[in-house]
């Protein structure tokens, strides 16, 4: 029996939800044959009972295909569409609210909650003037967390890498910022220097701790999330 498959050719043809389910399978099973079957089921959008009808050679080719696919470097996109609704990345991170930052810090380091983080970073575009745009006011991640399960995977993963790089740059900038603030206080009295200096150092340490949490999102090789069967089948090719 001929089986028609829709095989993704890039990461953005895979919804985040499918990848989250696949990683859950990998975390809960060591059966590499089962994992490879679930991979085809989730990424090609067919039922598991149909996967087992695929010839082993063809299955190996599919596994090899996804091995190469996940070597692609995801590209950050400030705008994308889910169905007919266009979402835009927070236009000005310097104006991020406390609520947005708290939720982003809470969700972005865990792949299983990445859709919640995306619901903070991306919201519907409400106004556009040339290349600039405004997005919907933040009402909490729950507003679009389910929608973001269908975010193109490449965009979702690239958003994590973006914040990893941003956190890295901020961590590098902290010592320079602290030195500048202390130099400014040298013009104040010794009492103010001690009092204000302690406050600044405490604030900097707090910021550093939050950024270190963000740095848990590492610029990993996405292929590491795939089962060892992928490597084995590649050798058999």
């Amino acid at each position: 029996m001929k089986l028609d498959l829709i095989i993704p050719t890039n990461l953005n043809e895979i919804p985040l939800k499918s990848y989250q389910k696949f990683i859950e399978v990998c975390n809960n099973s060591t059966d590499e044959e089962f994992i490879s079957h679930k991979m085809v089921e989730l990424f090609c959008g067919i039922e598991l009972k149909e996967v087992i009808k695929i010839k082993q050679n063809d299955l190996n080719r599919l596994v090899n295909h996804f091995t190469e696919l996940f070597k692609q470097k995801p590209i950050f996109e400030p705008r994308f569409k889910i169905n007919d609704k266009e979402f835009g990345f927070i236009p000005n991170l310097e104006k991020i609210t406390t609520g947005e930052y708290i939720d982003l810090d809470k969700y972005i380091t865990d792949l299983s909650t990445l859709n919640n983080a995306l619901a903070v970073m991306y919201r519907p575009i409400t106004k556009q003037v040339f290349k600039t745009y405004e997005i919907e006011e933040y009402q909490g991640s729950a507003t679009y967390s389910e929608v973001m399960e269908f975010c193109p995977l490449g965009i979702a993963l690239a958003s994590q890498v973006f914040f990893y790089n941003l956190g890295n740059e901020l961590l590098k900038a902290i010592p320079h910022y602290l030195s500048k603030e202390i130099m400014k206080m040298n013009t104040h009295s010794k009492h103010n220097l001690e009092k204000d200096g302690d406050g600044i150092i405490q604030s900097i340490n707090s910021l550093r701790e939050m950024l270190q949490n963000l740095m848990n999102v590492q610029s990993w090789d996405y292929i590491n999330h795939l089962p060892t069967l992928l490597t084995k089948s590649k050798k058999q090719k």
Side-chain angles (χ1 to χ4, degrees):
M1 182 183 74
K2 184 177 179 180
L3 183 64
D4 292 326
L5 294 178
I6 298 177
I7 304 173
T9 57
N10 64 69
L11 293 178
N12 283 338
E13 293 177 10
I14 299 174
L16 172 62
K17 184 177 183 179
S18 295
Y19 187 66
Q20 289 173 317
K21 288 182 177 179
F22 178 66
I23 297 304
E24 184 178 358
V25 170
C26 293
N27 290 337
N28 294 325
S29 176
T30 57
D31 186 335
E32 294 179 342
E33 183 178 8
F34 173 71
I35 291 174
S36 66
H37 289 177
K38 291 295 290 185
M39 176 195 303
V40 176
E41 175 197 17
L42 292 168
F43 295 161
C44 294
I46 64 174
E47 295 183 21
L48 192 60
K49 65 182 181 180
E50 299 297 329
V51 177
I52 61 176
K53 299 177 183 178
I54 298 176
K55 295 178 181 179
Q56 187 61 45
N57 287 341
D58 292 334
L59 183 64
N60 288 341
R61 291 190 186 96
L62 285 171
V63 169
N64 286 325
H65 170 76
F66 286 115
T67 301
E68 295 302 314
L69 189 65
F70 277 85
K71 288 181 180 180
Q72 294 180 2
K73 183 178 180 180
I75 300 174
F76 176 76
E77 298 286 351
R79 301 164 66 159
F80 69 92
K81 284 186 177 182
I82 296 179
N83 296 325
D84 294 328
K85 187 180 290 291
E86 186 172 21
F87 291 82
F89 189 81
I90 297 174
N92 189 345
L93 286 173
E94 292 183 358
K95 295 183 179 180
I96 191 171
T97 66
T98 302
E100 288 172 313
Y101 181 82
I102 290 174
D103 286 348
L104 188 56
D105 182 63
K106 178 180 179 181
Y107 294 123
I108 198 170
T109 58
D110 189 340
L111 185 63
S112 67
T113 58
L114 183 54
N115 55 299
N116 295 79
L118 289 166
V120 182
M121 292 184 280
Y122 290 93
R123 296 195 292 280
I125 294 175
T126 57
K127 183 178 179 180
Q128 178 176 333
V129 179
F130 299 110
K131 292 184 178 182
T132 63
Y133 60 84
E134 296 178 5
I135 60 175
E136 190 174 295
E137 184 178 347
Y138 187 59
Q139 300 293 333
S141 64
T143 307
Y144 292 105
S145 60
E146 291 186 4
V147 175
M148 287 299 166
E149 291 179 349
F150 299 93
C151 174
L153 179 58
I155 293 175
L157 296 178
S159 70
Q160 279 195 316
V161 176
F162 174 84
F163 271 92
Y164 167 84
N165 292 332
L166 177 63
N168 193 33
E169 291 302 314
L170 289 174
L171 283 173
K172 291 177 182 178
I174 283 176
H176 177 66
Y177 171 78
L178 183 56
S179 297
K180 285 180 62 177
E181 291 301 309
I182 291 177
M183 287 179 66
K184 287 179 183 179
M185 290 188 296
N186 281 334
T187 60
H188 297 172
S189 67
K190 181 179 179 182
H191 173 72
N192 287 337
L193 177 61
E194 293 175 351
K195 180 180 177 181
D196 295 343
D198 289 343
I200 288 178
I201 292 173
Q202 184 177 1
S203 297
I204 292 296
N205 287 336
S206 177
L207 176 60
R208 180 182 283 113
E209 183 179 349
M210 287 188 290
L211 290 174
Q212 289 288 5
N213 288 336
L214 185 58
M215 293 292 286
N216 288 332
V217 183
Q218 298 178 357
S219 186
W220 72 81
D221 179 359
Y222 297 103
I223 201 68
N224 288 337
H225 283 297
L226 302 183
T228 55
L229 175 64
L230 300 185
T231 305
K232 292 180 180 179
S233 63
K234 187 174 182 180
K235 292 178 180 179
Q236 295 171 358
K237 187 176 180 181

